[in-house]
Amino acid sequence: MRAFPVVLPSGTRYWTVLDDDLLVVPVADSWGRYQRFGRSRAELTTKTNAGGAALYLRWCSATGRDWRKAARDLGLFIVWLKHTPSRADEDGPVVVRSGPGGTPVRRERRINVVLSATRGFLSYAVSIAEAPRSVLGQLYELGDSRDLPAEAQGEDSGLFYRLRARHRLQEPETEVDRASDEEIVGMFMECRCARDRLVVLLLGRVGLRRGQAAGLHRSDCHMLADSRALGCDYKGPHIHVRRRENANGAWSKSRESWIQPVDFLVVQAYDQYVDERFELLGAGGSDFLLVNLFRGVLGAPMTPEAIYELFERLTRRAGLSRKVGVRTWPVARSAAMCRMPAANLMKSRPCWGRSAPSRPVPM
């Protein structure tokens, strides 16, 4: 069992599940299409869920269980997830690593993601009559408001029901290890082109996710003090972050669109990148903001995976003691924009300087 991408003639992608004979698992495929088109889920969401469903179906196949009735044994599935590596990790047959003190193959957070995907897969199977309704009782505990304290029932005295997952691991509380200002500046100094410097600022200073940065179009960037000539009434330089289908697989997780103000540092980096892009590609090319300039299909949109690879290269060049990837960068926009003082980056570009941009504005 494995997750597999499906590309439709329109260019839209979703992920399905193939069995050991490379045949599509009908229920899992129907579930993937339902998520992508019926619920407007992101492609990466269908990838994550297809991977979790594939692990569940693989466990059922390896242990001789019917996947429609195996929900009652999800506790054993958790043990299997902890100690059984994926087939991609080893060249030989799958071997269960048993014994006290052994290092788990998957941690609590990863196992909870797989369990969430499994519950979604089985719940969908129940909704289309592919699995018995009793499965839901094996996945969730059903409760109502009568056992809640009076303070939690609220002013409305009506009866309401709630569901709680039966199987879930307690995740250890760990502090979020964000990239420091020194690490971001060190990686910025190792950029070899204006495009890479703009990418670092979009994620490290503006606070965009890599999918949001890769999904920006040139028409989303309004770097003038007054953009009314472009049909936008918002004052000052800013970018529009929108959720939409993109040919490069980029996707904004936020369902809402918003206007993100930017400061002079980002404007200057944008101007330098536009000059660099015009010199290499001319005025034509893709409407995407970030495109390939030196390898691959020149002018093709840059993918989120390419941004991840860029950060790995910058980490090595900067000689950092740890791997600084996109997950260790600031996520909250308002916090990220205030993290990096402009004075730190003025050392590399003397014409730069100003305070951090303000908070985002809903569109």
Side-chain angles (χ1 to χ4, degrees), residues 2 28 30 32 39 68 82 114 120 125 152 161-162 167 170 194 196 222 255 281 293 328 334 339 345 358 360:
R2 68 195 67 184
S30 176
R39 300 296 299 273
R68 300 170 182 83
K82 283 185 177 180
V114 175
Y161 296 92
R162 66 184 189 278
H167 304 86
Q170 183 69 32
D196 293 351
H222 298 165
R255 293 181 177 271
L281 302 179
L293 298 180
T328 59
S334 58
R339 289 174 52 85
L345 296 181
S358 55

Side-chain angles (χ1 to χ4, degrees), residues 21-88:
D21 297 325
L22 301 182
L23 299 177
V24 173
V25 179
V27 180
D29 184 69
S30 176
W31 183 47
R33 286 185 277 110
Y34 166 73
Q35 294 177 87
R36 190 72 173 97
F37 308 115
R39 300 296 299 273
S40 188
R41 301 299 188 193
E43 177 195 340
L44 293 179
T45 300
T46 64
K47 179 180 180 180
T48 300
N49 290 337
L55 286 172
Y56 171 73
L57 294 174
R58 186 185 305 169
W59 169 69
C60 293
S61 176
T63 57
R65 289 179 168 86
D66 183 357
W67 66 265
R68 300 170 182 83
K69 303 177 181 179
R72 60 189 177 188
D73 297 328
L74 281 186
L76 298 177
F77 179 48
I78 293 175
V79 176
W80 185 87
L81 288 173
K82 283 185 177 180
H83 301 288
T84 304
S86 62
R87 296 179 182 179

Side-chain angles (χ1 to χ4, degrees), residues 87-163:
R87 296 179 182 179
D89 295 338
E90 298 182 356
D91 297 331
V94 175
V95 178
V96 175
R97 301 176 182 175
S98 58
T103 303
V105 177
R106 300 175 182 87
R107 297 291 182 179
E108 291 82 359
R109 183 186 182 111
R110 170 59 178 157
I111 292 177
N112 283 336
V113 170
V114 175
L115 291 176
S116 177
T118 301
R119 289 191 293 267
F121 169 66
L122 291 175
S123 299
Y124 176 77
V126 171
S127 69
I128 60 174
E130 287 288 341
R133 297 183 62 181
S134 59
V135 171
L136 293 179
Q138 299 167 355
L139 297 176
Y140 301 99
E141 294 179 353
L142 178 62
D144 56 50
S145 57
R146 289 176 295 183
D147 60 346
L148 295 177
E151 295 78 4
Q153 293 184 13
E155 298 180 357
D156 186 7
S157 60
L159 181 66
F160 61 89
Y161 296 92
R162 66 184 189 278
L163 293 176

Side-chain angles (χ1 to χ4, degrees), residues 155-225:
E155 298 180 357
D156 186 7
S157 60
L159 181 66
F160 61 89
Y161 296 92
R162 66 184 189 278
L163 293 176
R164 185 179 68 176
R166 289 183 179 273
H167 304 86
R168 181 176 178 82
L169 298 184
Q170 183 69 32
E171 299 181 14
E173 295 184 2
T174 57
E175 294 185 1
V176 180
D177 188 13
R178 300 298 184 200
S180 65
D181 296 340
E182 292 74 16
E183 290 173 332
I184 297 178
V185 173
M187 295 173 66
F188 179 86
M189 298 294 290
E190 294 299 327
C191 294
R192 298 177 179 176
C193 63
R195 183 203 63 186
D196 293 351
R197 290 194 292 270
L198 178 60
V199 171
V200 170
L201 289 179
L202 287 175
L203 273 71
R205 188 166 181 82
V206 180
L208 299 184
R209 297 177 181 269
R210 58 172 177 164
Q212 294 168 344
L216 287 177
H217 291 221
R218 287 189 284 183
S219 57
D220 296 330
C221 303
H222 298 165
M223 298 301 176
L224 301 176

